[in-house]
Amino acid sequence: MDENKKNIEVKLTVPFFDLDPMQIVWHGNYLNYFEVARAALLDHYGVDLYSYYERHNLIFPIIRTSTKHIYPLRHRDEIIVKATLVDARVKLIVDFEIRKVADGKLCARGRTEQVTVKFPEMETLFSIPDDIRRSLGYGNG
């Protein structure tokens, strides 16, 4: 594995309100699980994108998501959501994996991509700010 890749795991329990009429987790809720892990990953490295916006008028919208659903999640399943930082140079790229705690079964994989946007101009910048890159272990390159 690339030395720059950093990851964190978050343990969650599937709540009843995340289920669809078929009694499995509705597909859109996987993005919520990804978000919990992504936020924990950034927090772990001292990166607070909301505060960054307040200080620098830069926002970090997610521009692409993907999810591969492999095995359905059900009410009260205990899961581990792993977030792995893949890149933090031009954009923040985070890969995700959801596994059941009970047997380690892989349930989903995903990815999000975020860019830096100057606000209020809504101008996309084609790099992650230096201080965020350094916090995430990507130096100035």
Side-chain angles (χ1 to χ4, degrees):
M1 179 162 76
D2 183 335
E3 288 181 15
N4 277 335
K5 288 188 178 177
K6 298 181 173 21
N7 63 64
I8 198 161
E9 294 183 349
V10 177
K11 186 176 178 182
L12 302 172
T13 301
V14 173
F16 175 76
F17 54 79
D18 280 358
L19 305 182
D20 66 14
M22 294 180 289
Q23 299 303 302
I24 60 174
V25 171
W26 177 68
H27 68 277
N29 284 322
Y30 286 77
L31 292 174
N32 293 331
Y33 305 152
F34 294 168
E35 175 61 18
V36 169
R38 187 188 65 80
L41 178 70
L42 293 176
D43 285 348
H44 181 76
Y45 291 100
V47 175
D48 179 348
L49 297 181
Y50 187 78
S51 292
Y52 206 86
Y53 158 70
E54 291 179 321
R55 289 190 317 273
H56 302 286
N57 286 333
L58 296 174
I59 59 174
F60 299 87
I62 291 180
I63 59 162
R64 179 173 293 161
T65 63
S66 65
T67 307
K68 178 174 175 88
H69 301 273
I70 299 165
Y71 189 82
L73 295 173
R74 299 184 183 283
H75 183 228
R76 294 193 181 123
D77 279 347
E78 289 187 321
I79 57 174
I80 298 290
V81 184
K82 180 179 178 182
T84 302
L85 182 66
V86 175
D87 199 1
R89 291 179 280 257
V90 175
K91 54 189 169 182
L92 294 175
I93 301 174
V94 181
D95 281 347
F96 302 93
E97 186 176 276
I98 298 177
R99 292 185 179 272
K100 290 177 68 173
V101 170
D103 59 9
K105 182 173 276 210
L106 180 63
C107 298
R109 290 182 193 258
R111 174 174 275 197
T112 59
E113 297 180 10
Q114 291 174 263
V115 295
T116 308
V117 174
K118 188 175 180 181
F119 187 84
E121 297 88 345
M122 300 309 286
E123 174 189 345
T124 300
L125 307 179
F126 293 97
S127 68
I128 298 300
D130 288 343
D131 51 343
I132 292 176
R133 280 189 292 178
R134 279 192 301 277
S135 293
L136 296 173
Y138 279 83
N140 290 324

